[in-house]
Amino acid sequence: LFALAGCGGPDHEPAEPTPENPFRVVLQTDWFAQPEHGGFYQALEKGYYREAGLDVEILEGGPNAMSVQKVLSRRAHFAMNRADTVMTFAMRGMPVVMVMATLQHDPQGILLHADDPAQTIEDLDGRRVMAVPGLAWIAYVERKYGITLDIVPHDFGMERFLADPRFIQQCLVTNEPYYMEKHGAEVRVLRLSEAGFNPYHGIYCRRDFAEARPDIVQRFIDASIRGWTDFIEGDPAPAFDAIAARNPKMTPDFMAYAHGRLVEDRLVTGFPERGEAVGRLGPERMRALHDELHALGILDERLPLETFFTDEFLR
Amino acid sequence: MSPTGTWREYIGWPLLFGAGLLGLWYAVKGIFALPAYTLPAPHEVLGALFDQRTALARAALATAKGSLAGFSAAVGLGFALSLLIAAFRVLRIGLYPYVLFMQMVPIIATAAIIVTWLDAGLPSVAAIAFLIGFFPVVASTVAGLHSVPSEQVELFRLYKARPWQELFLLRVPSSLPYFFTGAKIAATLAVIGSVTGEIFAGSTARGGGLGFMILIYKSSVNTPGIFAATLLCCLLGFLFVGAVLLLKRFFLRKWHDSLDTDFNPL
Amino acid sequence: MSPTGTWREYIGWPLLFGAGLLGLWYAVKGIFALPAYTLPAPHEVLGALFDQRTALARAALATAKGSLAGFSAAVGLGFALSLLIAAFRVLRIGLYPYVLFMQMVPIIATAAIIVTWLDAGLPSVAAIAFLIGFFPVVASTVAGLHSVPSEQVELFRLYKARPWQELFLLRVPSSLPYFFTGAKIAATLAVIGSVTGEIFAGSTARGGGLGFMILIYKSSVNTPGIFAATLLCCLLGFLFVGAVLLLKRFFLRKWHDSLDTDFNPL
Amino acid sequence: MIAKAPEIEFRRVSKRFGAGPLVLDGLDLKVSPGEFICVIGPSGCGKTTFLRMVAGLSRPSGGEIRFDAQADGTRPELAFIFQDATLLPWLTVLGNIELPLRLRGEPRAERRATAARLTAEVGLGAVGDYHPRQLSGGMKMRVSLARALSLSPDVLLLDEPFGALDAITRNRLNEDLLALHRREGWTAFFVTHSVTEAVFLADRILVLAAEPARVETIIPVDLPRARTLALRESDEFHDAVAEATRRMHSVLAR
Amino acid sequence: MIAKAPEIEFRRVSKRFGAGPLVLDGLDLKVSPGEFICVIGPSGCGKTTFLRMVAGLSRPSGGEIRFDAQADGTRPELAFIFQDATLLPWLTVLGNIELPLRLRGEPRAERRATAARLTAEVGLGAVGDYHPRQLSGGMKMRVSLARALSLSPDVLLLDEPFGALDAITRNRLNEDLLALHRREGWTAFFVTHSVTEAVFLADRILVLAAEPARVETIIPVDLPRARTLALRESDEFHDAVAEATRRMHSVLAR
Ligand SMILES: Nc1ncnc2c1ncn2[C@@H]1O[C@H](COP(=O)(O)OP(=O)(O)OP(=O)(O)O)[C@@H](O)[C@H]1O
Ligand SMILES: Nc1ncnc2c1ncn2[C@@H]1O[C@H](COP(=O)(O)OP(=O)(O)OP(=O)(O)O)[C@@H](O)[C@H]1O
Ligand SMILES: [Mg+2]
Ligand SMILES: [Mg+2]
C-alpha cells in the first residue's frame, strides 16, 4: 500500500511541459536493455525526449516483468508488448490501448539445429519445443496446422539447445542465433511470420492517460519515432552505449548483429510499399489479426478495435 | 474441554476466520475498486475453477504426483542424511556445510542441469520439489538428533550401545518431535516445490501440472484462473500437512507432552 | 577433544571434503566431456567471478539487502505471529490453517499481486524473500512453544502467572532451540528467496541483484557466470546462517545440552 | 498472616486416570487452617496424585475438595515442591528462586534480596549463579524449596522435598521449615517416607494404603508445637515414633 | 560370575569442573572384587561426581582410577542407577527394563521374559505397559533399578536408588539387592543418605566431607555377610548403626 506512491518521489506532471520543466514519463520495456529497444535509448541519449519536454525513465523488463501491472497501477506510463497480448489484455477488461509500433514484423521464430529434419512448422508435430506456455502463437500454429507441440517452459537460456542436437526453442531472430553460432552450433530459424502469425510489437498505455494527456502521448510517440528512425538510419552508437551500460552482456559485436537484423529484415521500418513505416500501426492489420485470433478461438469474444488500439497519435 | 466441544471448536473457529477473511477479501476489492484481473472476487475464482475443471483436475493430479515424489524423497533422503550426519562426526563436520551450500543454490541456476540430466516432466519436477523440501527436514532432524538429554546418551554409552543402537534406539525416537516439525515444513513446501519444478521443467505432453497452468494463465492474463490453480495448490498442500500430522499423532501420542497439553490438529 | 584439535578439525574436514567434491566435479566434467556451457570447471567459475567482479559485487550487495530485509521480516514477524498463535487459542485454531494456506501459495502466483501493491525492486524482492522464510520460523517456533514440559507449565499456573508471563518467561526461552532451527532454515532460504524475488518481481533498473545477473548470464550462455553468481548466493547464505548460529550460541550456550555434547558450528 | 490459611475439606475424593484402576478411593478429611499434615504411604499409592488435586493441577474423578470462603473469594495461594525439582534450565539458582516473586511483579531489587537470603538459608549461597545442570540432585531440591518459600503461600505442598538430602542438612531444613511454619502459619501437606520426619513435623499423619489408596489411618502427633532438634533426642519423641510406626505397620500389614 | 568383578583402585583422584572449586580432592581407595561400598556425605559434596568417574562418564582432573586387568582386557560391565531415573519416555516400563538386554542383542523372547520377571520383582507387574509419564516418582526409580539388574554387571553404581521409596518397599528391595549381590558378586557403589541402609548393605562405608570432598573416614561394617531383615531387629545391628552414626558425626562435625 505504502509503495503505491510510485517510483521515487511524487511524479512531476506539469500541464505545459518544457525542456526546463519536463513531464516525467516511465517506459517499461519487455526485457533487459537490448538493441530491440534501441530507438528509445537513442531518443533518450540524443535528448529528443528532453526537447519534447519529457523526462523519460526506461525501466528494463525481464522474463517476469509484469509490465501490465505496472501500467495499470500507474507506476509506468508506457509498456511494451505484442499486439496479440494487448488484445488479450482488452479481452480481460484491462483499460489499455496500443499507441505505436516498435517493430512492424514479429521477430519471433523457432530455433532448430541446422540438420534438424523439420523443415516447416508443420513438421514440428509432436516435437518438444521450449517456449513460454500460453503464448498466442502456440495455439495459433497448433490450430492452423492441426499439430500438437510438446511445450516445455522457456528457461530463457540456451544451454539445453547447445547440449541436445534435437532441441527446439522459441527465439528472437535478432538474438539467439548469434549466441548459438558463437558457441559453434549451426542453426536455422522458422519464422512465425511465415506461418502467418505476425503481430506488431508496440507500446501501450492506459486509455485514461491517453485521453487525459494526449499531448504527452503525442510528444512521447513523436520523440520515440524520431529516436527509432535515427537508430536505424543514423549512427546507433549512443543507444549502444546506453544499452551496454545497463546490460553487461551487450557486446558491441552482438549489438551490431542485432542491429543488422533489425535493418536487413526491415523489422522497424517495414515495407513502405505496403504502407508500413516506423511506429505505424495499421488498423487493417490489427483487425485481421484480431479476426484470426478469434476464429481460432484464442480470443473468446470479438472486441471493438478501439478497446485495444488507437492510431490517433500516428496520423 | 470435552471431546465434542473440541471438535466443534476445531471446525467452528476456522470457518469463522475463513468467513472473516472472505469478507475482508470482498471489502478490499470493493474499497479499492479492484477489477478481476487484479484481484478476482472469491466467486469469480470458483467460477474459473468450475470452467477449467477438467484441465485443472488433470493438472492437480500431475502436481500431486510430483509433490508426492518430491516430498517422499525429501523426507526419506533428508531423514537418511540426517542419520548419517548424526552418526558420523566426520560427515557432520565435513559434509554438512556442503549440504547447506546445496540448499542455498537458487533453483534457476540448477534447473537447466536437472532438466538436462533427468529430462523434462515428472522426474525433474520431483527433483526440484525434493531440493526445496530436503533441507528443512535435514536441519530439523539434525537439531533433534542433537537435542537428546545428555543423561540418556550417557546411559547408552554405559550399556556399550553400538553407535547404530544409540542412533536408532535413542536419538531417532528422541528427535521425532523435531523431525515432524521439519516434515511439516517440507509438506507445505512440497506443492510449492512441485509448482516451481513445473515452471522450470514441466511439459505439456507429460500433463503439465498446476505450475504449468499458472504459466499459461499468466500468459493469457487469466487472473481468476491463476487464483483457482493456486487454491488447488493449497488444498493439495493441506493433504500433505494432514498426512504428516496424522503420522505425528500416531508416533508421539503416547509420550510427548506437546500433544497432551495442547491438542492442536495443525 | 582439545579446543585446538577441534578447531583444526573444523577447518580441516570441510577443506578435505571440499577438495573431494572439487575432484568429483573435475572427474564428472572429464568423463562426460562436458563443455563449459553445460558444466564449467571450477577454475572457469573463478575466472568468471574475477572477470565480472564489479558487476557481481554490486549485484551481491543488492541481493544482500533484499535477503536481509526479507530474512529480518521473516524472523521478526514469524516470531511475533508464533507468539500470538501460542498466546491465543482462538488464533491457533482459527488462524493457523490460513497461515499454512498462505505458505502454500506458489510465489509465481503471488508475484503479480505483490508487484501490483509494492514497488518493483527491493520492496517486492524483500516481500518474496519474506514469504519464503516466514513459515519455517512459524512452524518451528510454534512447535517449540508447545513443547514445554508440562510440569513447568503447571508450575507457572500454580504461581498464577499471567498468560503473557507464561509466554515470555517460560514458553519463549523453552522454545529457543526450536526457534533457532527455524531461523536457520529461514537463513538458508533468505538468499534463495531474494533471488527468486528478483526473478519474478525484480526491477532491473535499480541495481538488479544476483538473480538478475543469473538471468542475464543465462540469456547469453555464460554458464561460468551463472555458477559464479550462484557461488556468491551460497556465500551470502553462509553469512546469514553464521549469524543465526552465533546468536544461538550466545543464547543457548549456558543451558542447552545440544551445544554441550556436540559442538557443531553448523 | 495466619488468618489467610484456609480450612480444607475433602469429601469422598476419588481419582482414576482414564480407564485405569482407581488410584484414590473416597478420601474424607478436614484440615484446619495452619495444620501440618504429613502424608505417608507405599510408593505409587497416590500421594503425588493427592497433592496435585489439592493444588488443582488434577481434578478429582469423584467427590470434591473445598477451600473455605476466602475473604476476597479467591483460591488460596499455593506453593508446590515437586518430587523432581522442576527448575527452569535457562535460569540460574537465584533466577529460579526469585521466579515466583517475579511472576507476582515484585520490584527487581527486592526480589533479588529475598532470593539471595533464601539461597543462603538453604546452603547454596556459593552457587547462586550456577545453572541447574551444574547442581547436584540435593541442591536442586533445595533450590526448589527456596523457590516455594519465596512467596508466603497459604498452603504449601511438599512432595518428598528432603528425600535426596543427607541427614544433617535434612534435619536443619526440617527445623527451619517448622520455624517458618510457626511464623507464617500456612497449611502444609508434606509427603515423606520417613516416619521420624513425619512425627517431627506433623500435627497429623495421613497414612495411605495402596491399590486403591484409602485413608488407612490418621495418626495424631501429640507433641508440643514448638519443636526443635533437641526434641528428637527425647524419649517422648522416640515413643511417638515407635507408636506411629507400630500403628502404621499394623494397618499396612492388614 | 564372581570372578568378573574387578579390583578397583583410586589414586589421588581429584575433580574440578572448569575453573570452579575442587569438588573431590585426592581420593585414595582400593576396592576388592565384589565389595559393597556405601557412599555417604552431605548434599553437593561430590557423591554423584564420584560415581560418574567410576563409570567413566566424567574424567578425573587429577589422579587415576584403575580397574585390574580383565581377562579379555575390556572395561568392566557397568550398570548405573542415576539419581533421576532417566527412563526413555517413549518406551513402556517393560521396554525400558529390557533396554540393556536389547542393546546387547539378546533375543526378543528371552529379554521379554527377563524384563517381565524383573518388573514383577520390583513390584510393578501390573503396570508393565505404562509409559514413564504415567508412573509415580518411586515407580520410576524401581524401573531404573530393574533395568540396571537386567544385565549381570561387574560393577553396579547406585545413586540414591531408594530415596523416593517408602520404608517397606525400601527394606524389601534392600534385601533383594543383597541376595542378588551374594549370587552375582558384582562390586557395588551405593550412594545413600541413610546410615541404617548403609550399615545394612555395606562392607565398608565411605564417608565424604564437603568442600572439597575428601575421604573423611571409611567405616568397616563388621556384620555377617548373609544379612536379612531379621538382622535389622538385632542389637548387633543397632550397635553398628549407632557406632557408624557416632563416627560419622564426629568427623563431619570437625
Ligand atoms: N557440570 C557441572 N559444572 C559445575 N559444577 C558441577 C557440575 N556438576 C556438579 N557440579 C558441582 O559439583 C559438586 C558435587 O556435585 P554432585 O552432584 O557430585 O553432588 P552429590 O554429592 O551427588 O550431591 P547430592 O547428594 O545432592 O546428589 C556440586 O557442588 C556441584 O555444584
Ligand atoms: N498420568 C497418569 N496416567 C495413568 N496413571 C497414572 C498417571 N499418573 C499417576 N498414575 C498412577 O497413579 C498411581 C499413583 O501415582 P502417584 O504419583 O500419586 O504415587 P505416589 O504415591 O506419589 O508414589 P511415589 O511415592 O512413588 O511418588 C500410580 O499407580 C500411577 O501409575
Ligand atoms: Mg510421588
Ligand atoms: Mg547426587
Side-chain angles (χ1 to χ4, degrees), chain D residues 164-189:
Chain D
L165 296 179
D166 59 289
I168 295 174
T169 313
R170 187 172 186 156
N171 289 343
R172 196 169 57 64
L173 289 176
N174 271 340
E175 212 181 12
D176 292 352
L177 197 65
L178 276 188
L180 217 60
H181 177 241
R182 269 199 305 283
R183 201 166 73 224
E184 309 254 345
W186 20 259
T187 306
F189 291 88

mmCIF file of all heavy atoms in Angstrom, chain D residues 164-189:
data_model
loop_
_atom_site.group_PDB
_atom_site.id
_atom_site.type_symbol
_atom_site.label_atom_id
_atom_site.label_comp_id
_atom_site.label_asym_id
_atom_site.label_seq_id
_atom_site.Cartn_x
_atom_site.Cartn_y
_atom_site.Cartn_z
ATOM 1 N N ALA D 164 16.280 -36.530 48.977
ATOM 2 C CA ALA D 164 17.615 -36.622 48.379
ATOM 3 C C ALA D 164 18.664 -35.914 49.214
ATOM 4 O O ALA D 164 19.748 -35.624 48.727
ATOM 5 C CB ALA D 164 17.580 -36.033 46.976
ATOM 6 N N LEU D 165 18.348 -35.633 50.494
ATOM 7 C CA LEU D 165 19.305 -34.878 51.300
ATOM 8 C C LEU D 165 19.905 -35.752 52.395
ATOM 9 O O LEU D 165 19.281 -36.684 52.902
ATOM 10 C CB LEU D 165 18.614 -33.673 51.932
ATOM 11 C CG LEU D 165 18.090 -32.634 50.944
ATOM 12 C CD1 LEU D 165 17.416 -31.506 51.689
ATOM 13 C CD2 LEU D 165 19.219 -32.108 50.079
ATOM 14 N N ASP D 166 21.116 -35.411 52.785
ATOM 15 C CA ASP D 166 21.762 -36.111 53.887
ATOM 16 C C ASP D 166 21.071 -35.746 55.192
ATOM 17 O O ASP D 166 20.391 -34.726 55.299
ATOM 18 C CB ASP D 166 23.228 -35.715 53.946
ATOM 19 C CG ASP D 166 23.378 -34.234 54.142
ATOM 20 O OD1 ASP D 166 23.074 -33.471 53.158
ATOM 21 O OD2 ASP D 166 23.748 -33.803 55.230
ATOM 22 N N ALA D 167 21.285 -36.564 56.200
ATOM 23 C CA ALA D 167 20.574 -36.413 57.469
ATOM 24 C C ALA D 167 20.790 -35.042 58.102
ATOM 25 O O ALA D 167 19.846 -34.426 58.610
ATOM 26 C CB ALA D 167 21.016 -37.516 58.423
ATOM 27 N N ILE D 168 21.995 -34.559 58.031
ATOM 28 C CA ILE D 168 22.293 -33.291 58.712
ATOM 29 C C ILE D 168 21.552 -32.133 58.050
ATOM 30 O O ILE D 168 20.840 -31.357 58.694
ATOM 31 C CB ILE D 168 23.816 -33.055 58.741
ATOM 32 C CG1 ILE D 168 24.474 -34.137 59.602
ATOM 33 C CG2 ILE D 168 24.148 -31.674 59.262
ATOM 34 C CD1 ILE D 168 25.982 -34.093 59.589
ATOM 35 N N THR D 169 21.720 -32.023 56.742
ATOM 36 C CA THR D 169 21.021 -30.974 56.006
ATOM 37 C C THR D 169 19.524 -31.104 56.201
ATOM 38 O O THR D 169 18.802 -30.128 56.422
ATOM 39 C CB THR D 169 21.336 -31.092 54.497
ATOM 40 O OG1 THR D 169 22.736 -31.250 54.329
ATOM 41 C CG2 THR D 169 20.868 -29.870 53.747
ATOM 42 N N ARG D 170 19.071 -32.328 56.136
ATOM 43 C CA ARG D 170 17.655 -32.609 56.249
ATOM 44 C C ARG D 170 17.107 -32.147 57.599
ATOM 45 O O ARG D 170 16.075 -31.478 57.669
ATOM 46 C CB ARG D 170 17.452 -34.114 56.097
ATOM 47 C CG ARG D 170 16.044 -34.573 56.034
ATOM 48 C CD ARG D 170 16.049 -36.038 55.679
ATOM 49 N NE ARG D 170 14.717 -36.527 55.454
ATOM 50 C CZ ARG D 170 14.433 -37.593 54.700
ATOM 51 N NH1 ARG D 170 15.409 -38.252 54.114
ATOM 52 N NH2 ARG D 170 13.199 -37.980 54.536
ATOM 53 N N ASN D 171 17.824 -32.457 58.649
ATOM 54 C CA ASN D 171 17.368 -32.053 59.973
ATOM 55 C C ASN D 171 17.336 -30.533 60.102
ATOM 56 O O ASN D 171 16.394 -29.959 60.645
ATOM 57 C CB ASN D 171 18.292 -32.632 61.050
ATOM 58 C CG ASN D 171 18.100 -34.133 61.168
ATOM 59 O OD1 ASN D 171 17.091 -34.663 60.698
ATOM 60 N ND2 ASN D 171 19.058 -34.817 61.771
ATOM 61 N N ARG D 172 18.385 -29.905 59.570
ATOM 62 C CA ARG D 172 18.428 -28.461 59.661
ATOM 63 C C ARG D 172 17.228 -27.849 58.908
ATOM 64 O O ARG D 172 16.537 -26.959 59.412
ATOM 65 C CB ARG D 172 19.745 -27.940 59.092
ATOM 66 C CG ARG D 172 20.036 -26.497 59.496
ATOM 67 C CD ARG D 172 21.453 -26.073 59.156
ATOM 68 N NE ARG D 172 21.787 -26.209 57.747
ATOM 69 C CZ ARG D 172 21.207 -25.523 56.761
ATOM 70 N NH1 ARG D 172 20.259 -24.651 57.018
ATOM 71 N NH2 ARG D 172 21.578 -25.701 55.519
ATOM 72 N N LEU D 173 16.988 -28.372 57.724
ATOM 73 C CA LEU D 173 15.895 -27.816 56.939
ATOM 74 C C LEU D 173 14.551 -28.125 57.588
ATOM 75 O O LEU D 173 13.624 -27.309 57.527
ATOM 76 C CB LEU D 173 15.952 -28.340 55.499
ATOM 77 C CG LEU D 173 17.123 -27.768 54.686
ATOM 78 C CD1 LEU D 173 17.182 -28.408 53.317
ATOM 79 C CD2 LEU D 173 16.999 -26.253 54.544
ATOM 80 N N ASN D 174 14.437 -29.305 58.215
ATOM 81 C CA ASN D 174 13.207 -29.638 58.935
ATOM 82 C C ASN D 174 12.925 -28.580 59.996
ATOM 83 O O ASN D 174 11.805 -28.081 60.125
ATOM 84 C CB ASN D 174 13.353 -30.994 59.634
ATOM 85 C CG ASN D 174 12.926 -32.139 58.740
ATOM 86 O OD1 ASN D 174 12.207 -31.923 57.777
ATOM 87 N ND2 ASN D 174 13.374 -33.338 59.047
ATOM 88 N N GLU D 175 13.964 -28.243 60.736
ATOM 89 C CA GLU D 175 13.810 -27.273 61.801
ATOM 90 C C GLU D 175 13.435 -25.903 61.232
ATOM 91 O O GLU D 175 12.523 -25.228 61.726
ATOM 92 C CB GLU D 175 15.124 -27.191 62.580
ATOM 93 C CG GLU D 175 14.928 -26.890 64.038
ATOM 94 C CD GLU D 175 16.275 -26.807 64.756
ATOM 95 O OE1 GLU D 175 17.328 -26.762 64.067
ATOM 96 O OE2 GLU D 175 16.275 -26.789 65.987
ATOM 97 N N ASP D 176 14.157 -25.509 60.177
ATOM 98 C CA ASP D 176 13.854 -24.223 59.529
ATOM 99 C C ASP D 176 12.392 -24.181 59.083
ATOM 100 O O ASP D 176 11.703 -23.180 59.229
ATOM 101 C CB ASP D 176 14.728 -24.014 58.292
ATOM 102 C CG ASP D 176 16.197 -23.808 58.678
ATOM 103 O OD1 ASP D 176 16.471 -23.690 59.884
ATOM 104 O OD2 ASP D 176 17.035 -23.770 57.767
ATOM 105 N N LEU D 177 11.962 -25.317 58.527
ATOM 106 C CA LEU D 177 10.604 -25.380 57.997
ATOM 107 C C LEU D 177 9.581 -25.184 59.114
ATOM 108 O O LEU D 177 8.602 -24.443 58.962
ATOM 109 C CB LEU D 177 10.400 -26.740 57.320
ATOM 110 C CG LEU D 177 9.213 -26.858 56.369
ATOM 111 C CD1 LEU D 177 9.404 -25.957 55.175
ATOM 112 C CD2 LEU D 177 9.063 -28.302 55.908
ATOM 113 N N LEU D 178 9.853 -25.837 60.248
ATOM 114 C CA LEU D 178 8.920 -25.693 61.366
ATOM 115 C C LEU D 178 8.893 -24.261 61.896
ATOM 116 O O LEU D 178 7.820 -23.712 62.200
ATOM 117 C CB LEU D 178 9.321 -26.644 62.504
ATOM 118 C CG LEU D 178 8.818 -28.071 62.383
ATOM 119 C CD1 LEU D 178 9.117 -28.832 63.656
ATOM 120 C CD2 LEU D 178 7.305 -28.080 62.115
ATOM 121 N N ALA D 179 10.073 -23.650 61.979
ATOM 122 C CA ALA D 179 10.137 -22.267 62.453
ATOM 123 C C ALA D 179 9.313 -21.374 61.541
ATOM 124 O O ALA D 179 8.515 -20.534 61.986
ATOM 125 C CB ALA D 179 11.587 -21.804 62.497
ATOM 126 N N LEU D 180 9.505 -21.582 60.274
ATOM 127 C CA LEU D 180 8.787 -20.796 59.276
ATOM 128 C C LEU D 180 7.287 -21.023 59.392
ATOM 129 O O LEU D 180 6.480 -20.103 59.279
ATOM 130 C CB LEU D 180 9.261 -21.249 57.888
ATOM 131 C CG LEU D 180 9.398 -20.168 56.831
ATOM 132 C CD1 LEU D 180 10.412 -19.134 57.287
ATOM 133 C CD2 LEU D 180 9.840 -20.804 55.522
ATOM 134 N N HIS D 181 6.925 -22.283 59.613
ATOM 135 C CA HIS D 181 5.517 -22.631 59.730
ATOM 136 C C HIS D 181 4.893 -21.908 60.920
ATOM 137 O O HIS D 181 3.792 -21.361 60.830
ATOM 138 C CB HIS D 181 5.371 -24.152 59.900
ATOM 139 C CG HIS D 181 3.968 -24.604 60.098
ATOM 140 N ND1 HIS D 181 3.563 -25.261 61.230
ATOM 141 C CD2 HIS D 181 2.875 -24.480 59.312
ATOM 142 C CE1 HIS D 181 2.277 -25.514 61.142
ATOM 143 N NE2 HIS D 181 1.839 -25.061 59.975
ATOM 144 N N ARG D 182 5.643 -21.857 62.001
ATOM 145 C CA ARG D 182 5.122 -21.151 63.180
ATOM 146 C C ARG D 182 4.933 -19.683 62.860
ATOM 147 O O ARG D 182 3.960 -19.061 63.243
ATOM 148 C CB ARG D 182 6.100 -21.287 64.360
ATOM 149 C CG ARG D 182 5.831 -22.503 65.253
ATOM 150 C CD ARG D 182 6.492 -22.359 66.606
ATOM 151 N NE ARG D 182 7.932 -22.109 66.495
ATOM 152 C CZ ARG D 182 8.829 -23.050 66.208
ATOM 153 N NH1 ARG D 182 8.444 -24.306 66.015
ATOM 154 N NH2 ARG D 182 10.113 -22.758 66.131
ATOM 155 N N ARG D 183 5.914 -19.124 62.119
ATOM 156 C CA ARG D 183 5.863 -17.696 61.831
ATOM 157 C C ARG D 183 4.754 -17.387 60.814
ATOM 158 O O ARG D 183 3.990 -16.473 60.969
ATOM 159 C CB ARG D 183 7.221 -17.259 61.291
ATOM 160 C CG ARG D 183 7.453 -15.773 61.431
ATOM 161 C CD ARG D 183 8.913 -15.413 61.221
ATOM 162 N NE ARG D 183 9.279 -15.518 59.824
ATOM 163 C CZ ARG D 183 10.400 -16.083 59.378
ATOM 164 N NH1 ARG D 183 11.253 -16.613 60.226
ATOM 165 N NH2 ARG D 183 10.670 -16.117 58.091
ATOM 166 N N GLU D 184 4.695 -18.191 59.753
ATOM 167 C CA GLU D 184 3.832 -17.820 58.632
ATOM 168 C C GLU D 184 2.455 -18.466 58.700
ATOM 169 O O GLU D 184 1.499 -17.948 58.116
ATOM 170 C CB GLU D 184 4.497 -18.222 57.308
ATOM 171 C CG GLU D 184 5.929 -17.738 57.178
ATOM 172 C CD GLU D 184 6.046 -16.575 56.222
ATOM 173 O OE1 GLU D 184 5.087 -16.348 55.481
ATOM 174 O OE2 GLU D 184 7.095 -15.912 56.210
ATOM 175 N N GLY D 185 2.392 -19.590 59.320
ATOM 176 C CA GLY D 185 1.090 -20.191 59.559
ATOM 177 C C GLY D 185 0.373 -20.811 58.380
ATOM 178 O O GLY D 185 -0.849 -20.982 58.417
ATOM 179 N N TRP D 186 1.114 -21.146 57.325
ATOM 180 C CA TRP D 186 0.440 -21.814 56.222
ATOM 181 C C TRP D 186 0.009 -23.226 56.604
ATOM 182 O O TRP D 186 0.504 -23.816 57.569
ATOM 183 C CB TRP D 186 1.304 -21.891 54.968
ATOM 184 C CG TRP D 186 2.773 -21.737 55.136
ATOM 185 C CD1 TRP D 186 3.502 -20.611 54.894
ATOM 186 C CD2 TRP D 186 3.714 -22.736 55.595
ATOM 187 N NE1 TRP D 186 4.824 -20.829 55.173
ATOM 188 C CE2 TRP D 186 4.985 -22.124 55.591
ATOM 189 C CE3 TRP D 186 3.603 -24.059 56.001
ATOM 190 C CZ2 TRP D 186 6.138 -22.798 55.975
ATOM 191 C CZ3 TRP D 186 4.744 -24.730 56.385
ATOM 192 C CH2 TRP D 186 5.995 -24.106 56.375
ATOM 193 N N THR D 187 -0.893 -23.751 55.837
ATOM 194 C CA THR D 187 -1.267 -25.154 55.960
ATOM 195 C C THR D 187 -0.276 -25.952 55.118
ATOM 196 O O THR D 187 0.034 -25.542 54.000
ATOM 197 C CB THR D 187 -2.685 -25.376 55.408
ATOM 198 O OG1 THR D 187 -3.550 -24.459 56.068
ATOM 199 C CG2 THR D 187 -3.137 -26.797 55.611
ATOM 200 N N ALA D 188 0.211 -27.078 55.636
ATOM 201 C CA ALA D 188 1.203 -27.840 54.882
ATOM 202 C C ALA D 188 0.732 -29.267 54.644
ATOM 203 O O ALA D 188 0.129 -29.890 55.527
ATOM 204 C CB ALA D 188 2.536 -27.853 55.626
ATOM 205 N N PHE D 189 0.992 -29.728 53.420
ATOM 206 C CA PHE D 189 0.861 -31.153 53.119
ATOM 207 C C PHE D 189 2.237 -31.619 52.717
ATOM 208 O O PHE D 189 2.821 -31.115 51.758
ATOM 209 C CB PHE D 189 -0.116 -31.395 51.970
ATOM 210 C CG PHE D 189 -1.533 -31.091 52.324
ATOM 211 C CD1 PHE D 189 -2.038 -29.806 52.171
ATOM 212 C CD2 PHE D 189 -2.368 -32.087 52.801
ATOM 213 C CE1 PHE D 189 -3.354 -29.527 52.496
ATOM 214 C CE2 PHE D 189 -3.686 -31.810 53.116
ATOM 215 C CZ PHE D 189 -4.184 -30.523 52.974
#
